[in-house]
Amino acid sequence: MTTDVLRIENLSVEFPTERGWTQVVDDVSLRVPAGSAVGLVGESGSGKTVTSLAAMGLLPPRGSRVSGSIRIAGRETVGLSEREMSDIRGTDVSMVFQEPRRSLSPAFTVGDQIAEVVRRHEGASKKSSVARAIEMLDAVGIPDAARRSQAYPHEFSGGMCQRVMLAIAMVCRPKLLIADEPTTALDVTVQREMLRLMKDLQAEYDVSILFITHDLGVVAEMCDSVAVMYAGQIVESTRIDDLFDDPRHPYSEGLLAAIPDPRARGTRLSSIPGAVPAPWDWPETCRFQERCRHAVAGVCDAGPVGLERLAAGRAVRCVRDGELELRGLGA
Ligand SMILES: Nc1ncnc2c1ncn2[C@@H]1O[C@H](COP(=O)(O)OP(=O)(O)OP(=O)(O)O)[C@@H](O)[C@H]1O
Ligand SMILES: [Mg+2]
């Protein structure tokens, strides 16, 4: 039996807003089996980052309400104190963010910032933690790592800062790496290099990955399975090949059609009209229906739509599932 390094069950998150407590993540369940890479995709505002911050225990305790279960390497983390959670962060689960520069301190050398993580989590000596930092900088492909470890973040390019972030995340060999749009801010070539590096690290360090992105093309390259999120809910989850060949949710179909065409860089084949509504405007019924080309009045707006488990480890949230011929990218 494969164990799950991450198992989220029935996660809901609410925030206080000017309209009162508002739910932004609604009954999300998600698993990352050991050794796998799972993609979490969806447009801006669908709740991907909030889900991952919940998994990291990084939501403000008084500024949010979290319910459900989040198990990391078998251990329940919902309800742990900040102190207990900070032991788990770094050693069991780490995260890299979209904007590496904002997460690095401008006042310390990159080597010090990596070494500090080793000292904090493993109580290593100054000398051995510095050696580990240099080793890790080398592993993430920073040339001349010993010398560069003494440089400050402003002396690094964006792509190099992202590598430093990855070094910080990986230095204590976590079981799970959560990568939240780690390549979005990078140019195409640097993005490719980062993806390859993460693949290499996954194999070498035996780390499982939750890869968050709005780009299904990236998911196809990196991931074994995928969960598609829309307006705070999982609308489809499946193996990556099945999603591409035979999407079952109209939103997945729309995302597939929006994958940038590599032959015509920067252009999109099509995009889904409209945008994810604000959380306080999410309807009780299917949340995607307003933008869905397959929506039928009286059917899709008739009531809440549950996530149906299908055979072969698939799940889909669509009342019209089974009636629709959706377009995948298969032959
Ligand atoms: N601290 C907060 N207080 C109130 N609302 C919040 C807070 N953090 C996030 N939200 C709201 O929760 C929703 C989901 O946000 P989230 O950042 O998870 O989206 P996302 O899927 O990561 O989008 P993106 O692709 O833009 O990163 C959004 O409507 C956002 O405005
Ligand atoms: Mg986000």
Side-chain angles (χ1 to χ4, degrees), residues 43-50 52 98 180-181 212:
E43 292 161 291
S44 196
S46 51
K48 307 178 300 293
T49 295
V50 172
S52 56
Q98 182 177 343
D180 190 353
E181 309 257 11
I212 297 171

Side-chain angles (χ1 to χ4, degrees), residues 62-292:
R62 268 177 290 279
S64 63
R65 286 182 187 155
V66 178
S67 67
S69 163
I70 301 171
R71 267 174 290 164
I72 295 173
R75 181 171 178 197
E76 179 60 55
T77 63
V78 172
L80 289 186
S81 68
E82 171 50 28
R83 188 144 168 233
E84 290 166 313
M85 202 58 220
S86 68
D87 284 340
I88 292 177
R89 278 195 299 270
T91 54
D92 283 331
V93 55
S94 296
M95 188 160 173
V96 281
F97 301 91
Q98 182 177 343
E99 289 174 61
R101 241 179 254 282
R102 254 185 23 199
S103 325
L104 292 170
S105 166
F108 296 92
T109 67
V110 298
D112 273 347
Q113 295 185 54
I114 303 168
E116 171 13 58
V117 177
V118 184
R119 280 198 291 276
R120 180 154 35 97
H121 286 295
E122 298 178 11
S125 70
K126 170 122 183 121
K127 195 167 163 206
S128 80
S129 62
V130 167
R132 283 272 294 285
I134 294 170
E135 215 175 276
M136 198 63 223
L137 280 173
D138 189 53
V140 297
I142 305 274
D144 198 4
R147 190 177 60 83
R148 299 289 279 159
S149 72
Q150 289 170 42
Y152 291 85
H154 74 263
E155 300 174 65
F156 283 67
S157 67
M160 287 293 168
C161 281
Q162 197 55 284
R163 284 171 193 262
V164 172
M165 279 307 298
L166 208 45
I168 291 175
M170 293 299 301
V171 72
C172 290
R173 292 184 166 262
K175 299 181 181 76
L176 174 70
L177 175 69
I178 302 179
D180 190 353
E181 309 257 11
T183 61
T184 314
L186 306 173
D187 72 47
V188 182
T189 324
V190 181
Q191 177 175 358
R192 297 231 70 74
E193 289 168 7
M194 268 302 286
L195 294 177
R196 190 164 335 115
L197 172 63
M198 289 181 62
K199 267 277 167 219
D200 292 347
L201 290 175
Q202 186 191 1
E204 209 169 307
Y205 286 72
D206 195 21
V207 66
S208 310
I209 301 180
L210 178 64
F211 200 98
I212 297 171
T213 176
H214 52 255
D215 186 344
L216 270 177
V218 171
V219 172
E221 231 166 280
M222 292 295 295
C223 301
D224 311 296
S225 65
V226 59
V228 180
M229 213 169 162
Y230 186 79
Q233 299 176 321
I234 303 286
V235 294
E236 178 164 6
S237 61
T238 185
R239 279 164 30 92
I240 188 72
D241 301 349
D242 293 336
L243 189 87
F244 274 70
D245 295 343
D246 175 30
R248 294 287 285 267
H249 196 286
Y251 184 56
S252 309
E253 179 190 52
L255 290 179
L256 285 170
I259 294 176
D261 184 350
R263 286 156 304 187
R265 191 171 288 168
T267 63
R268 285 181 177 263
L269 298 175
S270 80
S271 63
I272 308 167
V276 184
W280 44 82
D281 288 331
W282 292 346
E284 288 292 312
T285 59
C286 168
R287 294 180 179 174
F288 185 58
Q289 49 157 321
E290 282 185 358
R291 302 172 67 194
C292 181

